[in-house]
């Protein structure tokens, strides 16, 4: 598939019907798969053959989605999960345990922030949050001997800052650990983090990948670039004989797909955060039109951002595609095809007026979502980032009056008129 452009891979990636087979990947609604010899069964359980055996560990429909994602991100393999949250959780638990340390940008999705700050802390995994705009020397101060992973988002939700990949790659090299990047807000159409040095790429597929607000899901894509053998003191679980698989050595056996095989064999097997075949089907169908939607989302969002910027009742607009935005240079470098569909803005009069605006909108829906084809709005401080203190909210880019707007694929004129009318009403 790599000889084809990204648009072609969105449509044809991951699956090709053989003679007389279904043109569209079928939903294989089966928990289990039949075999005829005990020897085959033993081989399956030893990971000697990679066929399906039980849908917690893998399913043909989910497999098509995983292959398609690996092709779109340019990875060696991908593992689908039940949600974006579980994708991040099992990425971390695959290589970190009690006593380990992670460095994360503080400009991340509220749910991820909570997972890292509260839940991992409860498990004895320590996280240092850094300002991703600090210079490299400053960032390096966060490195500890037990640091195992660096985490950031391509396009931070909802702060709208763009990651300086070059700097974070240098940070990961200095720490000698993998760089994991959440690429949810950009999608594989607008940015491929692997091209810019990421070792692992995560998505909440719930957002742009599904794109129609129908299926919660996540995925982890492996670049196959990290040399686990060279750092086996830090990652013995990737290199040494594994007791739960009769002495299997993941890196030696599976090479540049070792992280993914271990995710499946340990994390999906033991935690069970598996994507369902039905959700995989919907996510595959979403990917079929990803390129068309992202183009329109980005085009509409830029026009809406420009409209809001020039409206007298709007105090500020944060969209990385706008001239003069603090991330504009990084946006041109890493997201040259568009800056995606999310805009953050504040109206004059602060939180109270902002709430009135949301209620005055007719076409745009008040929902806890981004990435839908329908224009969506939300007040993060009282919803997604509600559990954070005001100081933490500000650190993750959420001001009290901020409105998060996910621009849909409707006609620009209709979206503009909706906001114009609502702004006049406040
Ligand atoms: C929504 C989101 C998540 C969490 O994904 P779920 O599918 O809701 O579990 C993680 N990261 C980002 C950037 C998100 O927008």
């Amino acid at each position: 598939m790599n000889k084809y452009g990204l648009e072609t891979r969105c449509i044809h990636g991951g699956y090709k019907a053989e003679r007389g087979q279904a043109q569209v990947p079928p939903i294989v609604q089966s928990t289990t798969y039949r075999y005829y010899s005990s020897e085959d069964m033993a081989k399956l359980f030893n990971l000697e053959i990679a066929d399906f055996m039980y849908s917690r560990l893998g399913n043909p429909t989910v497999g098509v989605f995983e292959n398609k994602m690996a092709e779109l991100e340019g990875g060696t393999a991908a593992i689908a999960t039940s949600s974006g949250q579980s994708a991040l959780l099992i990425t971390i638990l695959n290589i970190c345990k009690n006593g380990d340390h992670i460095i994360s940008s503080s400009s991340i999705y509220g749910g991820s922030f909570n997972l890292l700050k509260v839940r991992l802390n409860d498990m004895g995994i320590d996280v240092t949050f850094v300002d991703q705009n600090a210079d490299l020397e400053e960032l390096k101060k966060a490195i500890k001997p037990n640091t195992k992973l660096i985490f950031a988002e391509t396009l931070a939700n909802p702060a709208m800052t763009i990651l300086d990949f070059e700097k974070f790659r240098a940070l990961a090299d200095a720490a000698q650990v993998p760089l994991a990047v959440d690429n949810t807000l950009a999608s594989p159409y607008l940015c491929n983090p692997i091209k810019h040095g990421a070792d692992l790429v995560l998505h909440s597929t719930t957002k742009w990948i599904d794109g129609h607000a129908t299926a919660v899901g996540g995925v982890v894509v492996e670049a196959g670039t990290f040399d686990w053998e060279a750092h086996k003191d830090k990652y013995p679980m990737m290199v040494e004989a594994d007791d739960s698989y009769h002495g299997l050595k993941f890196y030696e056996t599976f090479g540049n797909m070792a992280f993914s095989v271990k995710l499946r064999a340990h994390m999906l097997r033991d935690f069970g955060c598996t994507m369902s075949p039905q959700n995989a089907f919907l996510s595959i169908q979403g990917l079929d039109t990803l390129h068309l939607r992202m183009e329109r989302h980005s085009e509409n969002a830029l026009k809406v951002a420009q409209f809001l910027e020039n409206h007298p009742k709007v105090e500020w607009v944060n969209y990385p595609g706008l001239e003069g935005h603090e991330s504009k240079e990084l946006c041109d470098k890493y997201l040259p095809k568009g800056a995606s569909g999310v805009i953050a803005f504040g109206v004059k009069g602060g939180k109270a007026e902002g709430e009135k605006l949301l209620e005055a909108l007719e076409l745009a829906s008040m929902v806890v979502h981004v990435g839908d084809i329908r224009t969506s709005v939300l007040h993060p401080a009282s919803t997604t980032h509600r559990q954070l203190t005001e100081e933490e909210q500000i650190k993750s880019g959420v001001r009290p009056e901020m409105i998060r707007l996910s621009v849909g694929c409707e006609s620009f004129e209709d979206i503009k008129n909706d906001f114009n009318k609502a702004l006049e009403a406040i």
Side-chain angles (χ1 to χ4, degrees):
M1 270 289 144
N2 282 341
K3 65 175 174 175
Y4 294 119
L6 196 65
E7 292 81 356
T8 310
R9 277 179 278 147
C10 279
I11 298 170
H12 293 277
Y15 178 79
K16 186 177 183 207
E18 308 274 330
R19 181 183 174 279
Q21 273 189 346
Q23 169 73 336
V24 174
I27 305 173
V28 180
Q29 198 67 49
S30 182
T31 57
T32 194
Y33 308 86
R34 188 168 177 182
Y35 290 89
Y36 290 88
S37 88
S38 308
E39 198 191 333
D40 275 351
M41 277 293 184
K43 282 185 181 159
L44 283 167
F45 275 87
N46 280 344
L47 302 182
E48 284 167 34
I49 47 175
D51 286 330
F52 299 104
M53 59 171 154
Y54 186 61
S55 288
R56 175 161 23 90
L57 287 155
N59 162 283
T61 315
V62 179
V64 170
F65 175 64
E66 291 172 335
N67 292 340
K68 195 161 169 131
M69 279 307 304
E71 283 174 17
L72 289 177
E73 284 290 14
T76 54
I79 299 292
T81 61
S82 54
S83 68
Q85 287 295 111
S86 57
L88 177 57
L89 175 67
I90 67 171
T91 295
I92 293 167
L93 295 183
N94 209 28
I95 49 171
C96 300
K97 57 180 183 0
N98 188 351
D100 286 344
H101 173 249
I102 293 170
I103 298 171
S104 170
S105 163
S106 60
S107 290
I108 53 172
Y109 172 69
S112 305
F113 189 84
N114 229 37
L115 167 61
L116 296 181
K117 185 188 160 234
V118 185
R119 223 49 61 201
L120 285 184
N121 194 54
D122 283 351
M123 297 182 199
I125 299 173
D126 180 31
V127 183
T128 302
F129 292 99
V130 294
D131 172 2
Q132 67 181 37
N133 295 324
D135 63 34
L136 182 59
E137 290 315 307
E138 187 60 32
L139 290 170
K140 278 186 188 168
K141 291 181 189 161
I143 300 172
K144 298 180 184 184
N146 58 340
T147 303
K148 297 289 166 75
L149 187 71
I150 291 173
F151 176 68
E153 295 179 1
T154 301
L155 179 51
N157 177 6
M160 307 311 293
T161 42
I162 290 170
L163 184 68
D164 185 337
F165 280 95
E166 214 175 300
K167 187 172 69 182
F168 267 66
R169 182 64 255 168
L171 179 65
D173 286 340
Q176 306 203 35
V177 302
L179 172 62
V181 176
D182 181 331
N183 196 33
T184 300
L185 254 65
S187 90
Y189 177 70
L190 297 176
C191 181
N192 288 136
I194 289 173
K195 284 191 191 144
H196 307 300
D199 299 293
L200 299 162
V201 181
L202 282 62
H203 284 277
S204 163
T205 62
T206 316
K207 313 294 167 55
W208 311 99
I209 286 173
D210 162 41
H212 300 76
T214 55
V216 172
V219 73
V220 184
V221 184
E222 175 174 12
T225 38
F226 196 78
D227 186 346
W228 305 102
E229 176 69 34
H231 302 97
K232 64 176 174 219
D233 51 326
K234 272 193 182 166
Y235 307 100
M237 69 290 269
M238 293 298 302
V239 178
E240 286 171 9
D242 183 72
D243 284 344
S244 70
Y245 278 103
H246 312 297
L248 177 84
K249 295 176 178 172
F250 282 99
Y251 193 45
E252 186 183 293
T253 313
F254 301 107
N256 64 9
M257 292 161 75
F259 189 89
S260 304
V261 177
K262 186 175 177 307
L263 268 180
R264 192 184 296 289
H266 283 172
M267 299 295 120
L268 293 189
R269 183 193 65 175
D270 297 345
F271 294 130
C273 45
T274 308
M275 180 180 275
S276 74
Q278 174 76 34
N279 280 5
F281 175 82
L282 292 165
S283 309
I284 292 164
Q285 202 150 54
L287 284 178
D288 289 348
T289 56
L290 182 75
H291 53 304
L292 299 170
R293 288 184 288 107
M294 292 319 293
E295 209 172 75
R296 179 62 67 86
H297 281 298
S298 301
E299 188 188 308
N300 275 354
L302 180 60
K303 288 197 224 162
V304 171
Q306 286 163 343
F307 161 74
L308 290 172
E309 198 179 30
N310 292 317
H311 198 285
K313 286 193 178 168
V314 174
E315 179 91 46
W316 55 272
V317 181
N318 182 358
Y319 182 68
L322 284 177
E323 291 302 330
H325 187 274
E326 59 161 341
S327 281
K328 181 70 168 73
E329 221 170 286
L330 290 169
C331 185
D332 291 343
K333 182 172 174 186
Y334 295 116
L335 284 87
K337 287 191 277 191
S340 195
V342 180
I343 298 170
F345 72 99
V347 289
K348 289 183 181 153
K351 189 179 160 191
E353 290 302 300
E355 282 173 354
K356 271 197 232 161
L357 174 81
L358 293 197
E359 288 171 11
L361 289 163
E362 207 180 282
L363 183 67
S365 336
M366 213 196 297
V367 290
V368 186
H369 203 34
V370 298
D372 189 9
I373 45 164
R374 304 158 190 89
T375 295
S376 315
V377 287
L378 184 78
H379 181 232
S382 61
T383 55
T384 50
H385 288 65
R386 190 184 181 84
Q387 311 307 336
L388 276 58
T389 65
E390 195 168 317
E391 195 191 333
E392 285 168 350
Q393 287 183 355
I394 288 168
K395 264 195 192 163
S396 59
V398 175
R399 297 194 226 172
E401 76 279 12
M402 174 197 263
I403 293 168
R404 186 184 70 189
L405 159 61
S406 174
V407 180
C409 292
E410 302 96 338
S411 100
F412 163 68
E413 287 301 319
D414 292 336
I415 302 170
K416 185 189 80 178
N417 291 340
D418 195 32
F419 276 86
N420 205 22
K421 218 174 92 209
L423 281 163
E424 267 162 30
I426 65 170

